């Protein structure tokens, strides 16, 4: 048989297949990728730097949906808020990838470049270098937790009104879009703290 016109394996196909597996089951393995692509496991390793390399390709793929130009908006707080919303939307599309991506070191150059831009924007806005990563990490905790929450059931608490009457009443008053509303509360609190912190250092 002649060689196929379209190669069975390349980095794009490997990344797409790994992401499909994660969306389905929450994880992937190199043999699973090979089987789904009709290739030998060893052939996959010719294109990627093992499992860790695939994780970084996945990180780049998911993060590529973040609209990086949001960081160019004015003023700085509008930029950070818009970046947070885009960040949340990108990861909410693949919530099962979040535990995998957030428990391994970030090495992907294009992702690191986006962090570089975020740090630069905060420095230019007047934030102290010592506090910037704490701010970015706190924002990520909010964004990624909310992205996971979007994949959760709308009703997360199963209550007995007789045993927990106040909780039951509070849940009944929530209304629709619980996760979105909770995100807005958290983002508003974060932005207010960031503005206060910047103002303190600017004095």
């Amino acid at each position: 048989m002649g060689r196929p016109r379209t190669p069975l394996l390349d980095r794009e196909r490997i990344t797409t297949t790994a992401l499909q597996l994660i969306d389905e089951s929450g994880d992937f393995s190199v043999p699973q990728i090979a089987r789904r692509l009709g290739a030998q496991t060893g052939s996959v390793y010719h294109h990627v730097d093992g499992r860790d390399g695939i994780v970084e390709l996945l990180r780049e793929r998911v993060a590529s949906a973040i609209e990086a130009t949001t960081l160019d908006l004015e003023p700085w707080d509008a930029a950070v808020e818009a970046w947070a919303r885009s960040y949340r939307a990108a990861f909410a599309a693949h919530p099962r990838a979040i535990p995998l991506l957030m428990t391994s070191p970030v090495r992907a150059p294009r992702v690191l470049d986006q962090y570089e831009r975020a740090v630069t924007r905060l420095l230019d806005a007047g934030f102290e270098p010592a506090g910037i990563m704490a701010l970015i990490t706190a924002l990520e905790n909010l964004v990624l937790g909310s992205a996971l929450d979007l994949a959760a059931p709308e009703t997360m608490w199963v209550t007995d009104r007789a045993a927990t009457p106040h909780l039951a009443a509070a849940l009944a008053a929530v209304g629709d879009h619980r996760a979105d509303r909770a995100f807005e509360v958290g983002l508003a609190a974060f932005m207010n703290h960031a503005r206060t912190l910047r103002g303190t250092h600017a004095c």
Side-chain angles (χ1 to χ4, degrees):
M1 293 180 64
R3 300 182 69 176
R5 290 178 179 272
T6 303
L8 292 175
L9 290 176
D10 59 34
R11 290 162 70 91
E12 286 297 310
R13 285 184 175 83
I14 291 168
T15 305
T16 297
T17 303
L19 190 56
Q20 289 171 347
L21 288 166
I22 291 170
D23 286 343
E24 293 166 9
S25 65
D27 203 355
F28 75 93
S29 71
V30 177
Q32 284 177 314
I33 293 171
R35 283 195 298 271
R36 189 160 290 194
L37 289 174
Q40 296 296 315
T41 299
S43 299
V44 176
Y45 288 107
H46 293 157
H47 298 269
V48 297
D49 186 18
R51 179 181 170 88
D52 289 346
I54 296 173
V55 169
E56 288 309 290
L57 290 172
L58 288 165
R59 193 190 307 279
E60 286 195 331
R61 173 71 65 83
V62 175
S64 69
I66 303 172
E67 182 52 64
T69 58
T70 54
L71 290 169
D72 298 326
L73 295 175
E74 293 291 348
W76 71 269
D77 50 355
V80 171
E81 186 169 334
W83 186 57
R85 293 184 188 283
S86 184
Y87 195 149
R88 176 182 182 244
F91 279 77
H94 303 284
R96 288 185 167 184
I98 293 173
L100 177 65
L101 298 179
M102 293 304 106
T103 53
S104 61
V106 181
R107 296 186 176 91
R110 282 184 286 182
V111 177
L112 290 171
D113 180 66
Q114 191 160 158
Y115 281 102
E116 175 72 9
R117 294 186 63 195
V119 170
T120 301
R121 190 61 202 272
L122 292 174
L123 286 170
D124 290 345
F127 286 88
E128 290 291 314
I132 285 178
M133 290 313 299
L135 276 176
I136 290 177
T137 302
L139 184 59
E140 283 192 317
N141 290 343
L142 169 64
V143 164
L144 296 173
S146 182
L148 283 172
D149 197 19
L150 283 169
E154 185 68 19
T155 302
M156 281 295 295
W157 297 266
V158 180
T159 63
D160 179 345
R161 182 174 289 273
T164 54
H166 294 114
L167 173 59
L171 290 171
V174 166
D176 296 332
H177 308 295
R178 173 190 58 78
D180 290 330
R181 294 170 65 186
F183 175 68
E184 294 301 327
V185 170
L187 184 59
F190 173 85
M191 294 307 304
N192 286 338
H193 172 73
R195 293 183 190 105
T196 299
L197 189 63
R198 175 179 175 269
T200 298
H201 290 312
C203 295

